[in-house]
Amino acid sequence: MSSDALVVRLDQMLADLADAVADNSTTSDAARVDRIARLEKLRAVTAALQAAESVRFAQSQVAEQLAADVHPTVIGRTNWVGLPPLPGGRGPAIEHGAGVVVRTTRHLRSTQ
């Protein structure tokens, strides 16, 4: 268990989303459209947060290497220990498919 507040919140969100995957309860198409729209926004904001955290991590690593007088030819290289590989089910094709769903349903109002 992490002591970082954001990691704790992210773990809870991940657990909630995992539970939602298995939820087969009846709901309206309007609610599904709203969910899909929110998931698209969530995907965008998580990509932005991941990029920002990656930059901050790289900056931190370079600062530590500079402080430790690491040879200039290896500054910026790091072993990203602890970062899991991307699962096989993620990638441009999956993201493209999600984008198509959002683009083709964004004109719908939640009352439709």
Side-chain angles (χ1 to χ4, degrees):
M1 184 91 178
S2 177
S3 62
D4 181 77
L6 181 56
V7 171
V8 171
R9 287 178 33 216
L10 290 170
D11 284 344
Q12 183 58 52
M13 284 186 254
L14 289 169
D16 291 345
L17 291 171
D19 290 344
V21 170
D23 182 3
N24 290 324
S25 59
T26 304
T27 190
S28 70
D29 284 347
R32 293 191 192 286
V33 169
D34 287 344
R35 291 174 184 181
I36 292 167
R38 296 319 185 282
L39 289 167
E40 182 66 16
K41 289 178 183 180
L42 181 61
R43 188 171 65 103
V45 76
T46 55
L49 177 57
Q50 183 178 11
E53 288 293 337
S54 296
V55 167
R56 290 188 285 257
F57 176 74
Q59 290 170 333
S60 171
Q61 291 295 295
V62 168
E64 284 182 24
Q65 291 169 346
L66 288 170
D69 286 329
V70 171
H71 193 275
T73 60
V74 294
I75 287 180
R77 295 183 191 171
T78 186
N79 182 8
W80 291 46
V81 175
L83 297 180
L86 291 175
R90 287 182 45 194
I94 300 297
E95 292 178 4
H96 172 73
V100 169
V101 170
V102 170
R103 283 191 299 280
T104 58
T105 59
R106 75 170 43 150
H107 67 285
L108 299 174
R109 285 179 259 137
S110 60
T111 57
Q112 288 181 301

